[in-house]
Amino acid sequence: MASLEEVRQELVDFKKSGKFIVSYTDAQSEKSYYLASVADKLYLNPQGTLEFNGLSSETMYYKNLFDKLGVQAQIFRVGSFKSAVEPYFRTNMSDSARLQTKSFLTSINDAVLADVSKARKLSLGRAKVISDSMLVHNADDAKRLGLVTDLGYYDQATDYMKGKLGVAKDKKLSLISLSDYSKGEDTDAELGSNRIAVVYAEGDIVTGKGGNESIGSTRFAEAIRKARLDDKVKAVVLRVNSPGGSSLASDIIYREVMLTKKVKPIICSMSDVAASGGYFIAMGCDTIVAHPTTITGSIGVFGVLPNIEPFLRDKIGVTTDRVTTGKFSDFPTITRALTPFEQQQFQAEINRIYADFTTKAAAGRHMPVERLRRLASGRVWSGSEAKARGLVDVLGSFDDALRIAARRAKLKEGDYSIQKLPRQKSFAENLFTSFSEEARLHFVKEEMGPMYPLYKQYKTLSQMNGVQARMPFEMNVQ
């Protein structure tokens, strides 16, 4: 939602130029309507649909599956709101998970409705009634209630644009696609002596170098270090879009943030999600900027260690035996249940990491650790909720974060260039990497159908190493 909000704000700014925006759609989802609602003219196909009934978030639970397979999930966590592990030992949401999800979804929905009502010149109360009562069932409803301006087909939308541009209806309208338009961006501009480094941290946080869709601790610590040691870089913006991941990897990146903070301004810009480990790497920055619709917080840690001994023995007839040199030489293992002492040791380590996390967060936010821990416990907040509680400093966009960084570095607009870190791939690299990855995912989704979410969850689990500082799984707002 935060990404949509940022694109939408650029469209709002575009309208100030005096130019016009036209939207056309056959069927509009909640998210796409939020983006399109800023348009001067909104065309909806007369037989089309428009979804405008609020937000929801659904989570899959695997306890029954584990019971059938004979897999025991051994859970270790801190915080009653740390619900990332609930799918492995529950069949539904806990009261605390339901409370936090309801809270931040309502906050995000309120922000969306406020923007839509302003754009469509509806009262906020009226927009809430339309949404909560699901008054839009078809295109006629959308037009009658003022959510769109026109019911029409694509040719009618283009005819309107021709009229605005003074182009005859029998003439072809000159259009350019986003992909072609983006090629016009000057990506090879010479960097000047005054730079603001933008470190793009997107994906799960993992140890090592990571991949194209993850935040590898080695690679990103190196990127921040490079910006710190470069005298031409006067400030750093850390752009975070991450649900978290390895607590160790998060701490490695956090260390580089803290070292950078001592010598030059470092500002965090939160995108869609900057939670748990994503918050960990952000919390040391001088200023944290988030969108009202950002999902953040989730300050907590957990560990999951499966015991597959019943599955091996009872389902496929496999048993294990072992020889050790010490009483705990095979710890940790997934082929037997942990002893009470081992469970105690595992939980003690989780507690230690949580204490470290919250102590550092309290220092970064300049608040007593007792107060910080009342806001922690793994609870997820919207950007607006986090701002009200002191977990973020400013509600704004990436551009706002850039302006704050420039101001802290005493740089005027036009006096600096942007350096993107880690090294950005060339157009050709992105083209072939994106194509191959998208093709692979396309075929996997086609082959697995409704089972794809389970496959995706398996892939996430298989990449986990060590104690995790991570958001609740499958946090898909729709």
Side-chain angles (χ1 to χ4, degrees):
M1 293 301 297
S3 294
L4 285 174
E5 181 187 345
E6 196 144 32
V7 176
R8 189 181 187 279
Q9 186 56 49
E10 291 299 327
L11 293 174
V12 171
D13 291 342
F14 173 83
K15 288 179 68 173
K16 295 176 183 177
S17 68
K19 300 172 185 177
F20 63 94
I21 299 173
V22 178
S23 165
Y24 170 82
T25 186
D26 298 321
Q28 197 124 53
S29 68
E30 193 96 29
K31 290 181 178 179
S32 65
Y33 178 69
Y34 173 57
L35 185 64
S37 62
V38 71
D40 301 284
K41 277 279 192 178
L42 283 86
Y43 280 87
L44 177 62
N45 187 295
Q47 301 303 316
T49 57
L50 187 152
E51 180 187 358
F52 193 71
N53 57 359
L55 305 179
S56 66
S57 178
E58 185 178 81
T59 303
M60 286 188 174
Y61 293 84
Y62 308 105
K63 181 182 182 301
N64 290 338
L65 172 65
F66 281 11
D67 288 346
K68 289 181 177 181
L69 292 175
V71 175
Q72 175 193 5
Q74 301 171 104
I75 306 297
F76 306 89
R77 61 173 175 168
V78 180
S80 57
F81 288 95
K82 200 63 185 172
S83 56
V85 291
E86 286 187 359
Y88 305 119
F89 67 93
R90 293 182 61 92
T91 58
N92 57 5
M93 284 186 183
S94 65
D95 291 341
S96 57
R98 187 174 301 279
L99 173 66
Q100 71 170 351
T101 306
K102 176 72 172 177
S103 178
F104 74 73
L105 272 186
T106 299
S107 175
I108 293 172
N109 193 52
D110 287 348
V112 169
L113 288 176
D115 286 343
V116 169
S117 61
K118 182 179 179 180
R120 303 320 317 153
K121 296 181 172 56
L122 297 169
S123 70
L124 180 57
R126 180 57 176 160
K128 285 186 175 181
V129 168
I130 295 172
S131 175
D132 293 345
S133 303
M134 201 174 74
L135 299 183
V136 181
H137 301 285
N138 51 50
D140 290 330
D141 292 335
K143 175 69 165 61
R144 175 174 52 81
L145 294 168
L147 298 182
V148 300
T149 59
D150 295 87
L151 301 185
Y153 295 92
Y154 180 72
D155 62 284
Q156 293 173 298
T158 54
D159 282 347
Y160 169 78
M161 288 190 282
K162 289 176 182 178
K164 291 283 288 184
L165 296 170
V167 176
K169 286 189 176 183
D170 60 344
K171 299 296 183 182
K172 186 177 180 180
L173 191 63
S174 178
L175 300 174
I176 183 170
S177 68
L178 178 61
S179 58
D180 287 338
Y181 183 76
S182 63
K183 293 175 186 176
E185 183 182 357
D186 185 8
T187 57
D188 297 318
E190 187 69 30
L191 295 175
S193 57
N194 291 330
R195 306 173 186 175
I196 294 179
V198 179
V199 180
Y200 291 93
E202 182 161 354
D204 290 345
I205 302 174
V206 299
T207 54
K209 284 192 170 293
N212 295 329
E213 297 180 351
S214 62
I215 304 168
S217 58
T218 302
R219 188 161 60 101
F220 278 83
E222 182 182 346
I224 298 172
R225 190 181 310 120
K226 179 180 179 180
R228 181 175 77 251
L229 299 177
D230 189 341
D231 291 337
K232 293 180 180 180
V233 173
K234 309 303 182 183
V236 179
V237 174
L238 180 61
R239 175 68 165 177
V240 180
N241 189 19
S242 171
S246 164
S247 63
L248 171 60
S250 301
D251 193 57
I252 291 170
I253 297 171
Y254 166 82
R255 171 65 177 174
E256 292 298 329
V257 170
M258 294 302 292
L259 291 175
T260 302
K261 186 178 181 178
K262 293 178 180 179
V263 296
K264 60 187 66 174
I266 179 166
I267 311 300
C268 176
S269 169
M270 293 180 170
S271 185
D272 293 321
V273 55
S276 209
Y279 189 82
F280 200 129
I281 67 176
M283 65 191 183
C285 292
D286 297 298
T287 303
I288 298 177
V289 182
H291 295 272
T293 54
T294 295
I295 295 174
T296 187
S298 192
I299 300 171
V301 294
F302 71 88
V304 182
L305 191 67
N307 171 25
I308 66 170
E309 182 182 19
F311 166 72
L312 294 175
R313 182 188 63 237
D314 301 333
K315 303 298 181 181
I316 61 176
V318 175
T319 58
T320 61
D321 204 350
R322 56 183 52 80
V323 175
T324 63
T325 59
K327 190 175 180 180
F328 305 108
S329 297
D330 66 335
F331 174 81
T333 176
I334 65 171
T335 56
R336 65 169 175 83
L338 298 181
T339 67
F341 176 79
E342 290 170 330
Q343 292 177 2
Q344 182 183 20
Q345 294 304 304
F346 207 131
Q347 186 63 53
E349 181 62 8
I350 296 289
N351 294 344
R352 184 193 66 79
I353 294 172
Y354 178 72
D356 179 69
F357 190 169
T358 52
T359 299
K360 289 174 177 175
R365 303 313 304 153
H366 307 291
M367 66 172 67
V369 69
E370 295 79 11
R371 180 186 167 200
L372 188 283
R373 285 175 182 162
R374 288 196 295 271
L375 302 173
S377 296
R379 178 153 184 175
V380 178
W381 307 98
S382 71
S384 296
E385 292 175 315
K387 169 67 166 60
R389 290 159 178 81
L391 294 178
V392 305
D393 299 296
V394 177
L395 293 180
S397 66
F398 170 75
D399 287 341
D400 292 320
L402 205 56
R403 281 190 285 269
I404 292 171
R407 186 170 67 248
R408 294 283 179 86
K410 297 181 173 56
L411 298 174
K412 294 181 180 180
E413 188 173 351
D415 288 346
Y416 60 88
S417 53
I418 303 299
Q419 181 177 359
K420 298 176 181 180
L421 296 172
R423 185 189 78 83
Q424 303 295 298
K425 290 185 176 182
S426 67
F427 174 75
E429 288 176 313
N430 273 321
L431 176 66
F432 290 112
T433 301
S434 298
F435 175 77
S436 59
E437 179 63 15
E438 287 179 10
R440 186 187 69 81
L441 285 177
H442 171 76
F443 288 121
V444 171
K445 289 178 181 178
E446 285 289 315
E447 187 70 22
M448 300 199 71
M451 297 300 290
Y452 176 73
L454 295 177
Y455 166 78
K456 185 179 177 183
Q457 183 78 329
Y458 162 75
K459 292 291 290 183
T460 300
L461 279 171
S462 66
Q463 293 168 0
M464 286 187 188
N465 290 301
V467 176
Q468 299 289 303
R470 183 181 290 272
M471 269 274 292
F473 292 126
E474 303 300 326
M475 186 59 70
N476 183 28
V477 177
Q478 52 190 336

